Amino acid sequence: MNVRVLLFAGLAQRAGVREWTIELPSGATVTTLRAALESLHPWLREVPVAMARNQAMARGDEPVAAGDELALLPPVSGG
Amino acid sequence: MNVRVLLFAGLAQRAGVREWTIELPSGATVTTLRAALESLHPWLREVPVAMARNQAMARGDEPVAAGDELALLPPVSGG
Amino acid sequence: MGTTHSNRSHLTRSAIELARLVAQVATVDDGAICTFVGTARRNSEGREVNLLRYEAYPEMADQEIGAIVAEAERKFSGARIATLHRLGDCPLGEASVAVVAAAPHRVEAFAACRYVIDEIKARAPIWKQEQFRDGTAWVGDPGSFKPRIP
Amino acid sequence: MGTTHSNRSHLTRSAIELARLVAQVATVDDGAICTFVGTARRNSEGREVNLLRYEAYPEMADQEIGAIVAEAERKFSGARIATLHRLGDCPLGEASVAVVAAAPHRVEAFAACRYVIDEIKARAPIWKQEQFRDGTAWVGDPGSFKPRIP
């Protein structure tokens, strides 16, 4: 299955794009998605990142389904 | 000597005036002034009152001099 | 910076304009502005208030509020403060008092603003009279209720 | 009263007008209004900032701020809250975020206002980019400095 992964702020700057699409095996979780992203983009291991799934903070063991909206969130700095 | 005593809020309302002038013996203190006022206006004993001398909160043992500006302050309720 | 307000009165008989107070203290070096506005409330212990009236010992109140501002500017690093208390009639919903504290960071802005309003309420010689349909009373002065003569 | 803001966005690309936020929550039953405004500062760790730029994950940020407002209105009795965070370019001295909390008493107004700004800063997916003369950097993201190409 394919999932969309949104990128923001310094992550979008490093990636040079605001969105990745990645092919995942069915049964994937947030943790396996993250591992797949890190092997494609090793610089991700160097930066602190949280993950959101469908616009809420995601735990590592949450399953990822086709059509989910995933996002990589750098440390927030609003206000 | 004569001193002026300013009255505010509920005290001015009770007194019907905004200022008293009172004759005091020389050597008077804030405490003796207060006692003199209470004997002239016994209702003063029933209400909580602080005293200011020359626009600052006054201690009881402060001497009172001719020309001083004294004031009776009910509990404050600004804001 | 404790001299910002030294020659400005902290008392007014007109409506308080918060934006003007903010403009007195805000600069491009501040990151945080905390304001507090106290407004005349319709209800007081279950009774309906029509109007508030404030009276002060004006010279002493102005000095005392100036001292409170100076204390807050000393205690809270980088804070600059503007404050006004209204005197006379204050219609419902209008501001009776306003405090503005600008500071580089929000912790100091909140703390300075809170200090100033707490101390004004505790120390400034200002008195509030509530005007009801049937009479008036000085707040915190039991026995001061005066019936309105029809 | 947690429904006050449910259909209003908490994000804006225009200048924030504090008076309009105050008008959204103030009534003649409130005695206390506390506001907080965060403004773009000229200095950041000794470097001169020319402009701030805010980016958000907009749908999630709006939901998260809405959740924070609802939490504060539940926690602090009688509080009603309005808040806006600016996105895009924010010139020096202009508000990047504003929070207004109205309540019958000042303790709740201050606490609700403080809760909302603290939680927005900790939780809302919003990022600040500082623009210097010689480049840009995302705050809290070491290594994101990008030199300006002349």
Side-chain angles (χ1 to χ4, degrees):
Chain A
M1 64 183 175
N2 283 310
V3 296
R4 295 166 66 210
V5 182
L6 306 181
L7 298 163
F8 295 98
L11 299 180
Q13 178 184 301
R14 285 178 180 86
V17 295
R18 305 192 72 82
E19 187 174 327
W20 284 325
T21 301
I22 186 171
E23 170 82 30
L24 287 180
S26 68
T29 63
V30 168
T31 296
T32 55
L33 165 61
R34 187 171 187 139
L37 291 171
E38 287 178 354
S39 82
L40 285 165
H41 308 283
W43 57 265
L44 264 183
R45 296 188 184 111
E46 315 297 318
V47 294
V49 171
M51 293 206 70
R53 189 174 70 89
N54 297 333
Q55 302 173 8
M57 296 309 292
R59 298 187 321 274
D61 62 356
E62 284 181 32
V64 172
D68 278 355
E69 177 178 294
L70 282 303
L72 292 174
L73 309 181
V76 302
S77 57
Chain B
M1 64 181 174
N2 283 311
V3 296
R4 296 165 65 207
V5 182
L6 307 180
L7 299 162
F8 295 99
L11 299 179
Q13 178 183 301
R14 285 177 180 86
V17 294
R18 305 192 71 81
E19 187 174 328
W20 284 326
T21 301
I22 186 170
E23 170 82 30
L24 287 180
S26 70
T29 64
V30 168
T31 296
T32 56
L33 165 62
R34 188 172 186 138
L37 291 171
E38 288 179 355
S39 82
L40 286 166
H41 309 283
W43 57 264
L44 265 183
R45 296 187 186 111
E46 316 295 319
V47 293
V49 171
M51 294 206 67
R53 189 174 71 89
N54 297 332
Q55 304 173 8
M57 297 308 293
R59 299 186 321 273
D61 62 356
E62 284 181 31
V64 171
D68 278 355
E69 178 178 292
L70 283 302
L72 292 174
L73 308 181
V76 302
S77 57
Chain C
M1 305 286 282
T3 57
T4 327
H5 339 271
S6 51
N7 44 14
R8 248 186 220 120
S9 171
H10 299 105
L11 304 172
T12 178
R13 294 192 163 266
S14 315
I16 294 173
E17 293 175 61
L18 186 62
R20 290 183 65 172
L21 284 184
V22 171
Q24 286 172 23
V25 294
T27 72
V28 291
D29 292 319
D30 293 308
I33 300 173
C34 180
T35 79
F36 177 80
V37 173
T39 57
R41 293 174 63 196
R42 183 163 55 190
N43 286 292
S44 172
E45 294 169 12
R47 303 193 64 198
E48 187 160 330
V49 176
N50 295 319
L51 185 73
L52 292 181
R53 183 170 291 166
Y54 286 91
E55 178 180 322
Y57 183 2
E59 301 84 357
M60 184 175 167
D62 197 38
Q63 281 175 52
E64 191 71 19
I65 296 174
I68 292 165
V69 165
E71 289 160 20
E73 290 181 338
R74 262 198 315 273
K75 276 172 83 83
F76 303 106
S77 129
R80 270 160 316 108
I81 292 154
T83 181
L84 267 183
H85 199 297
R86 187 154 176 185
L87 299 183
D89 290 348
C90 185
L92 294 194
E94 292 195 10
S96 53
V97 62
V99 180
V100 177
H105 299 289
R106 73 184 184 286
V107 173
E108 289 77 16
F110 271 99
C113 189
R114 181 69 191 268
Y115 181 85
V116 170
I117 185 64
D118 285 357
E119 294 297 305
I120 286 176
K121 284 181 174 259
R123 291 160 49 187
I126 300 177
W127 300 276
K128 171 161 55 187
Q129 187 184 48
E130 292 175 333
Q131 313 231 333
F132 307 106
R133 196 182 40 73
D134 60 342
T136 63
W138 291 99
V139 172
D141 183 350
S144 69
F145 182 77
K146 192 168 110 185
R148 195 178 295 283
I149 292 135
Chain D
M1 305 286 283
T3 57
T4 327
H5 339 271
S6 51
N7 44 13
R8 251 188 218 117
S9 171
H10 298 104
L11 303 173
T12 178
R13 294 193 163 266
S14 315
I16 294 174
E17 294 175 61
L18 186 63
R20 290 182 65 172
L21 283 184
V22 171
Q24 287 172 22
V25 294
T27 72
V28 291
D29 292 320
D30 293 308
I33 300 174
C34 181
T35 78
F36 176 80
V37 174
T39 59
R41 294 173 64 195
R42 183 164 54 190
N43 286 292
S44 172
E45 295 168 13
R47 304 194 65 198
E48 185 159 330
V49 176
N50 295 318
L51 184 74
L52 292 180
R53 182 170 293 165
Y54 286 92
E55 177 180 322
Y57 183 1
E59 302 84 356
M60 184 174 166
D62 197 38
Q63 282 176 50
E64 191 72 17
I65 296 174
I68 292 165
V69 165
E71 289 160 20
E73 290 181 338
R74 263 198 314 273
K75 275 172 84 82
F76 303 105
S77 130
R80 271 159 318 107
I81 292 153
T83 181
L84 266 183
H85 198 297
R86 187 154 176 186
L87 299 183
D89 288 349
C90 185
L92 294 194
E94 292 195 13
S96 54
V97 63
V99 179
V100 178
H105 299 288
R106 74 184 182 286
V107 174
E108 288 78 16
F110 271 99
C113 189
R114 181 70 191 267
Y115 181 85
V116 170
I117 186 62
D118 285 357
E119 294 297 306
I120 286 175
K121 282 177 174 266
R123 290 161 50 186
I126 301 176
W127 300 275
K128 171 160 56 186
Q129 188 184 48
E130 291 175 334
Q131 314 231 332
F132 307 105
R133 196 181 40 74
D134 59 342
T136 64
W138 291 98
V139 173
D141 183 350
S144 69
F145 182 78
K146 192 169 111 186
R148 195 178 295 284
I149 291 137

